[in-house]
Amino acid sequence: MKTEQDLKEIYFPTPKLIEWENGVRQYSTVRGDTEVLMSYVPPHTNVEPHQHQEVQIGMVVSGELSMTVGDVTKKMTALESAYIAPPHVPHGARNETDQEVIAIDIKRNKADETYTSPEDYFLNIFKTRDLMPGMEVTFFVEDWIEIMLAKIPGNGGEMPFHKHRNEQIGICIGGGYDMTVEGCTVDMTFGTAYFCEPREDHGAINRSEKESQSINIFFPPRYNRSKTKKVKADES
């Protein structure tokens, strides 16, 4: 029988620190085929172009980053866009500012998925609306993935318990809230990640006075249909 700590490691894996020679720090959490990386990029630091068999999705949480995917370079500001680097497509980044940049990067390689991306590899905001009264959400959408930025009001604001056919991953990026997955509850603080497989029961409540914010990723999209215009897929 699994202990409470065993369950926490399944749904809320303990981050492992990765330190690179260029000063970049990454906190890695993994469940199954997916790795979530909270990356801290020092000022004026270059991440050399590289490629791998996993698709990589990323978003800037704090600061500004010059991101290159394939032959396209764009300046990414906090929570305004996301990139998709399909398998074996080179990608790299540079922090050209005097401030540390914090970014979320997600790597995934699942046999039954096809990883499409926009022609320029970058996703813009697809839609912003209230998911429920007082909870504003913003979506970024591609055929196989949906990114939802969610704000949970303070003083008892909640995402009611539910389950669905979609796999879901979430990362706290502001404030804090109690997250429960399959009866296992953790106090989410900045950088904490949770993993839900399909049909696993989950919900959240913000008991603090301040609003909290999270990035939530769904495989496949849950709330929005994918865009009709077809774009690039893995060319490997």
Side-chain angles (χ1 to χ4, degrees), residues 46-234:
N46 191 46
V47 178
E48 294 294 337
H50 57 285
Q51 56 184 287
H52 38 67
Q53 66 180 359
E54 299 92 353
V55 67
Q56 184 165 314
I57 313 107
M59 177 174 282
V60 172
V61 174
S62 174
E64 182 180 277
L65 198 63
S66 180
M67 185 75 200
T68 299
V69 184
D71 57 359
V72 180
T73 299
K74 286 197 174 183
K75 193 164 288 185
M76 298 183 69
T77 53
L79 307 178
E80 292 291 333
S81 62
Y83 74 84
I84 298 177
H88 307 295
V89 173
H91 51 282
R94 179 166 179 77
N95 179 0
E96 299 173 340
T97 75
D98 296 327
Q99 304 296 320
E100 180 180 67
V101 171
I102 304 175
I104 296 288
D105 298 292
I106 296 163
K107 296 169 70 175
R108 183 176 175 92
N109 183 21
K110 201 163 186 176
D112 60 350
E113 292 179 339
T114 299
Y115 300 121
T116 59
S117 75
E119 291 183 356
D120 68 353
Y121 302 108
F122 290 84
L123 293 173
N124 296 315
I125 292 174
F126 182 70
K127 184 186 298 181
T128 297
R129 67 178 178 89
D130 283 347
L131 188 64
M132 56 185 66
M135 183 180 291
E136 183 183 81
V137 295
T138 297
F139 295 101
F140 301 80
V141 183
E142 185 50 51
D143 276 356
W144 56 279
I145 185 174
E146 181 177 59
I147 301 169
M148 181 180 78
L149 308 181
K151 297 177 180 179
I152 305 178
N155 298 308
E158 64 179 313
M159 174 66 76
F161 284 94
H162 62 288
K163 60 180 67 177
H164 41 67
R165 67 181 182 87
N166 316 73
E167 183 181 344
Q168 181 175 339
I169 296 170
I171 308 104
C172 178
I173 58 169
Y177 53 96
D178 291 343
M179 185 75 201
T180 301
V181 182
E182 290 291 298
C184 181
T185 302
V186 163
D187 178 16
M188 301 284 286
T189 57
F190 186 85
T192 307
Y194 71 83
F195 293 75
C196 285
E197 290 292 313
R199 304 297 179 188
E200 289 183 339
D201 189 49
H202 56 284
I205 182 167
N206 181 1
R207 303 182 190 280
S208 70
E209 296 181 357
K210 295 182 179 180
E211 179 182 74
S212 66
Q213 190 170 18
S214 62
I215 297 176
N216 305 271
I217 301 114
F218 299 91
F219 308 99
R222 181 184 180 207
Y223 294 101
N224 297 279
R225 290 183 178 275
S226 57
K227 295 169 288 184
T228 56
K229 182 181 178 182
K230 272 333 308 139
V231 287
K232 290 189 178 181
D234 175 16

